[in-house]
Amino acid sequence: MDNPLISLNISSRPKIERVRIEKAWEHFILGKDLNFEVRSLMYQSWQRSLSHGIHPIKGNAPTLVSEEKIQEYQSTDPLYSVLEPLLTQLKNTAVDLGHLIVFCNNKGEIVYLNGAPSLKQKAEKMNFTIGSSWSELHIGTNAIGTALATGSPIQVFASEHFCQPVHNWVCSASPIRDPATQEILGVIDLTGDWSLIHPHSLSTAVFIAQSIEGILLKQLEFERYKLLEYYRETSLKTPNKTLAVIDRGGNVIKADNTFYSNGWIHSDSNHIIGLENNGRSLNEEYRLESKEKWNYEVSPYYYSGKLIGSIVQAISPTRLSSPKENTTKYSFFNLIGKSKEIQSVIVEARSIASLTLPVLIQGESGTGKELFAQAIHSSSARSSGPFIAVNCGAIQKDLAESELFGYEEGTFTGGQKGGKSGKFQQAEGGTIFLDEIGEMPLDLQTTLLRVLEEGEVVRLGGKKPIKLNVRVITATNRDLKKESEEGKFRLDLYYRLNILSIKIPPLRDRTQDIRLLLDDLLKKVCRDIGRSQLWVNDEALQFLEQYEWPGNVRELRNFAYKMAVKVTSNIITINNIPKEMMESRSTNHLVNLKEDSQDDSENKIQSLKDQELKTILTVLNESNGNVRETAEKLGIHRSTIYRKLSKISDIINTKP
């Protein structure tokens, strides 16, 4: 056979070939010598199928993806948005050919399937449906799974399929690769009755895959253009930085000559040596030491909320050993959290870091607003400039204007000779962070608005305006819009500050991150005070994840310090949880129970089979919510009460 990817030549007789391959398959399954010619690709796939434990007679593709997940994929995946219009156009062609047109993700799970209704019904009998997995791991040799396993297009005919229920079909599949990373994104497949086999079916699948890759390549070229544009802009603004920019696949788009003269870029792969295969995710910021003792600081770059590449800064040992004044402590790679709630905010913050417009950061006290402000500054073109933080609620009102805008000599008795620069001038070329902006007095808000509008400042006692090149980031835990409507904050200033905004979620809304945050805090605290590492057990963690955390991450840090000082063992248990946290938790449960009882939820509690729960609740009410006293009366441990209360809360919270 001339082409090992095609099952039969154009001159082959499908009926005869089907019988011959069927006999070869039977011999293979029975462990006999084949005595029949089988393509080496099929034989290797059959061997893999055996090693996966696939049953050749009873094998059936499992349904692994729910309809809800399929809909989510179809509405959010960028590849599918490119693919769907093309698939819709090709539906009629597939029907005319007597085939189904199918798209699978890179796991072999069917995401799209269309074609003649009668053929779809026939395919359903072998569970060839949306959501089913056609990976070799689940159903053995088939065009979709084998294309994924080999990374190449393939046609599989009749008994070449490992599982007997699929022997009446012919499938032709071609992988779709990301032009940046060369990773397989999915598979295009044409499936029909075995009698309709034709070499052109595989050619059609390959053509569709290549057409999609062509569209993706155009998108990649646009991404590379935006990366190059950002590199040039950043290099002009910060000529002292040694920079390179790479696309999603690690390919160097542009780099400072230092990268080339020092041989840091591989001549064959066009990748930065040391960044290849380092196990780091593209969407995380990190620092990596090279062989020459220089450090690479890698920062993901987002455009319109999409990750398109990374900026790489080479930092010399001398610069590392002599940090600048006013430098920030935090960047995006210091922000911890994998929950979708915090990740969406991080993505949004990254996307606005490269801009120069004002940013308003909103969030409850202790959520980490200044960390985000520093991260935005660190990832901006102003990162080599100062970062000046001002707590507007802590400045004395009579000194606030001079603190922010400075004063000329002679303005105050005992004032500094030559006058003094204010915080805005100190932030020249960098960023000023006005924390708790809602605390700023109204008269000072008027001056701030004028400074923002004019882009210049006039010192107290002075007449000459001083031009400013400063980015303004503000933060508040108040509802400034509401306060503006109530006359407590200038509405025009609110709109001037709120050009770009992000809202940081409270810790209670991102409980998935509590273990990550606590592990990191405990590691740092234990290292600081010189004690052995602390861990939290599952029971204590469950309580911490249900706790409200009114003080957010700041309160969690306070908790970590308390545990590091007070806990003598290496494990934090439920018994180590501070009394005030326990009582706060139990009070919240009781309030919920009383509120729900007004809505007839008492009937639900009465229907519980476990009478122990009702007994605990009764004694707890008699003890006015005191868990310790309740535990003593019942002769049980406090942790038992919390577990039972959690069960009651879960049941009540399911009420319609």
Side-chain angles (χ1 to χ4, degrees):
M1 187 175 296
D2 296 333
N3 189 341
L5 304 179
I6 297 173
S7 301
L8 306 179
N9 291 325
I10 191 70
S11 58
S12 300
R13 299 171 65 182
K15 288 185 180 180
I16 295 174
E17 288 298 310
R18 184 187 183 210
V19 172
R20 183 184 66 78
I21 297 171
E22 182 78 24
K23 289 180 180 178
W25 177 82
E26 289 174 355
H27 279 222
F28 178 84
I29 297 304
L30 295 173
K32 298 179 180 180
D33 292 336
L34 290 187
N35 296 327
F36 299 95
E37 183 182 350
V38 176
R39 285 186 293 164
S40 60
L41 286 173
M42 293 299 97
Y43 184 75
Q44 292 163 11
S45 179
W46 286 355
Q47 288 181 316
R48 289 195 299 270
S49 302
L50 274 182
S51 67
H52 295 327
I54 307 298
H55 198 297
I57 308 299
K58 299 180 181 179
N60 194 42
T63 299
L64 299 182
V65 189
S66 67
E67 184 178 346
E68 182 183 33
K69 287 292 183 182
I70 292 292
Q71 291 175 351
E72 180 182 342
Y73 178 90
Q74 292 176 345
S75 60
T76 60
D77 188 80
L79 171 61
Y80 191 81
S81 64
V82 171
L83 190 68
E84 187 179 28
L86 187 57
L87 293 175
T88 302
Q89 292 174 15
L90 291 168
K91 176 193 171 184
N92 292 335
T93 302
V95 171
D96 292 341
L97 293 172
H99 281 65
L100 299 172
I101 185 166
V102 179
F103 170 69
C104 297
N105 61 21
N106 58 6
K107 296 178 182 178
E109 298 158 346
I110 297 179
V111 176
Y112 175 94
L113 186 151
N114 217 331
S118 58
L119 196 59
K120 289 168 67 176
Q121 290 175 2
K122 187 178 178 183
E124 287 175 3
K125 295 179 180 178
M126 60 175 183
N127 203 35
F128 195 72
T129 57
I130 290 179
S132 62
S133 172
W134 284 77
S135 162
E136 275 193 353
L137 292 170
H138 296 124
I139 192 64
T141 308
N142 72 93
I144 294 168
T146 305
L148 285 171
T150 62
S152 65
I154 195 73
Q155 185 178 67
V156 179
F157 168 67
S159 301
E160 287 183 330
H161 291 94
F162 186 74
C163 291
Q164 195 175 48
V166 199
H167 284 189
N168 289 327
W169 297 83
V170 61
C171 308
S172 303
S174 181
I176 301 170
R177 291 185 181 274
D178 185 333
T181 64
Q182 292 304 306
E183 293 177 355
I184 296 177
L185 302 175
V187 174
I188 283 291
D189 172 73
L190 291 171
T191 293
D193 187 89
W194 69 270
S195 62
L196 298 176
I197 183 172
H198 197 288
H200 290 170
S201 299
L202 183 59
S203 300
T204 302
V206 171
F207 173 77
I208 298 171
Q210 290 177 345
S211 298
I212 296 164
E213 289 174 351
I215 297 171
L216 296 178
L217 182 57
K218 288 182 180 179
Q219 291 182 348
L220 177 62
E221 289 171 350
F222 176 76
E223 292 173 6
R224 288 172 172 171
Y225 169 76
K226 299 306 294 185
L227 288 166
L228 182 61
E229 189 178 62
Y230 180 69
Y231 172 86
R232 288 171 175 164
E233 180 184 337
T234 306
S235 296
L236 286 172
K237 290 182 178 179
T238 56
N240 59 321
K241 287 187 176 182
T242 305
L243 299 174
V245 62
I246 58 178
D247 66 16
R248 292 181 290 105
N251 304 292
V252 176
I253 307 304
K254 185 73 174 176
D256 185 275
N257 285 334
T258 307
F259 279 86
Y260 292 99
S261 61
N262 287 344
W264 296 342
I265 298 177
H266 200 289
S267 58
D268 294 330
S269 66
N270 195 35
H271 285 196
I272 296 175
I273 297 170
L275 297 187
E276 301 167 303
N277 305 318
N278 60 67
R280 297 282 188 169
S281 170
L282 280 173
N283 62 359
E284 62 177 316
E285 187 167 351
Y286 61 92
R287 184 172 288 169
L288 193 70
E289 186 176 300
S290 73
K291 292 180 180 178
E292 291 77 14
K293 302 302 179 185
W294 282 57
N295 273 25
Y296 293 143
E297 190 168 278
V298 185
S299 303
Y301 181 72
Y302 289 78
Y303 179 77
S304 297
K306 179 186 176 184
L307 175 68
I308 65 171
S310 298
I311 305 299
V312 182
Q313 180 183 0
I315 306 174
S316 69
T318 54
R319 288 184 61 192
L320 286 170
S321 60
S322 55
K324 307 181 297 290
E325 292 184 6
N326 300 323
T327 188
T328 52
K329 296 180 180 178
Y330 302 101
S331 57
F332 283 116
F333 72 87
N334 297 119
L335 302 179
I336 297 172
K338 293 188 176 180
S339 64
K340 63 180 182 180
E341 290 81 8
I342 197 66
Q343 278 298 314
S344 65
V345 180
I346 291 174
V347 168
E348 188 176 4
R350 285 186 189 279
S351 68
I352 64 178
S354 60
L355 305 176
T356 58
L357 295 169
V359 180
L360 175 63
I361 303 176
Q362 302 174 61
E364 295 179 5
S365 178
T367 50
K369 295 186 288 294
E370 183 169 350
L371 269 66
F372 270 86
Q374 290 194 23
I376 291 171
H377 171 77
S378 297
S379 293
S380 73
R382 298 173 175 269
S383 60
S384 59
F387 178 88
I388 304 297
V390 181
N391 188 330
C392 297
I395 301 178
Q396 296 183 37
K397 291 185 178 180
D398 54 342
L399 298 177
E401 190 168 356
S402 63
E403 276 287 311
L404 286 174
F405 310 120
Y407 60 84
E408 295 290 353
E409 183 178 352
T411 303
F412 301 111
T413 303
Q416 187 172 301
K417 186 177 181 180
K420 183 181 178 182
S421 299
K423 298 295 186 182
F424 270 84
Q425 277 187 270
Q426 294 170 28
E428 178 66 19
T431 302
I432 188 168
F433 173 57
L434 302 176
D435 197 9
E436 303 300 343
I437 188 67
E439 303 285 344
M440 181 176 282
L442 282 169
D443 56 344
L444 194 58
Q445 291 178 29
T446 304
T447 308
L448 174 60
L449 179 63
R450 186 175 66 249
V451 169
L452 295 176
E453 293 287 356
E454 302 297 331
E456 57 187 30
V457 64
V458 178
R459 292 181 178 183
L460 282 178
K463 296 180 180 179
K464 184 180 178 180
I466 303 168
K467 283 291 182 182
L468 292 174
N469 176 22
V470 177
R471 185 182 195 176
V472 178
I473 300 179
T474 54
T476 183
N477 58 11
R478 296 184 176 187
D479 184 344
L480 292 188
K481 181 68 181 300
K482 182 179 179 182
E483 298 215 345
S484 299
E485 293 168 351
E486 295 174 353
K488 299 177 182 177
F489 195 86
R490 287 191 64 117
L491 186 61
D492 46 5
L493 178 60
Y494 167 73
Y495 285 122
R496 189 67 181 80
L497 297 174
N498 193 34
I499 296 175
L500 301 172
S501 66
I502 58 174
K503 188 169 185 178
I504 306 174
L507 188 55
R508 62 181 173 274
D509 290 345
R510 44 180 293 221
T511 55
Q512 179 186 343
D513 295 330
I514 287 178
R515 178 186 283 277
L516 290 173
L517 288 163
L518 186 56
D519 285 348
D520 182 72
L521 288 167
L522 288 172
K523 183 179 179 180
K524 291 176 181 176
V525 170
C526 291
R527 184 178 62 240
D528 289 346
I529 68 174
R531 64 151 293 163
S532 58
Q533 184 60 45
L534 261 176
W535 308 97
V536 59
N537 70 11
D538 290 342
E539 186 180 19
L541 179 65
Q542 183 181 15
F543 170 84
L544 296 174
E545 289 177 338
Q546 294 172 349
Y547 180 65
E548 288 293 307
W549 296 108
N552 294 293
V553 181
R554 186 180 291 123
E555 184 182 1
L556 184 64
R557 184 175 63 226
N558 179 276
F559 170 80
Y561 271 100
K562 284 184 179 179
M563 294 299 98
V565 172
K566 293 183 178 181
V567 177
T568 55
S569 67
N570 290 331
I571 302 294
I572 299 172
T573 69
I574 195 75
N575 296 325
N576 301 128
I577 305 295
K579 179 181 178 181
E580 62 269 21
M581 291 177 67
M582 287 290 198
E583 291 178 347
S584 172
R585 171 69 177 157
S586 63
T587 301
N588 288 337
H589 271 294
L590 288 173
V591 170
N592 288 336
L593 290 174
K594 288 177 181 178
E595 288 177 350
D596 288 336
S597 66
Q598 295 172 3
D599 295 324
D600 236 354
S601 62
E602 187 177 15
N603 293 332
K604 284 194 173 183
I605 298 177
Q606 292 299 326
S607 67
L608 294 172
K609 294 181 180 180
D610 193 347
Q611 296 299 317
E612 183 184 27
L613 297 176
K614 292 192 294 181
T615 303
I616 290 175
L617 183 59
T618 300
V619 178
L620 195 58
N621 280 320
E622 291 173 354
S623 304
N624 294 319
N626 190 308
V627 177
R628 181 184 58 77
E629 183 179 335
T630 302
E632 289 176 355
K633 286 182 179 180
L634 295 173
I636 59 178
H637 199 279
R638 284 179 297 172
S639 61
T640 303
I641 295 177
Y642 287 113
R643 286 199 305 273
K644 300 300 181 182
L645 284 172
S646 296
K647 290 180 180 179
I648 294 176
S649 180
D650 290 341
I651 292 170
I652 292 175
N653 287 335
T654 60
K655 69 184 181 67

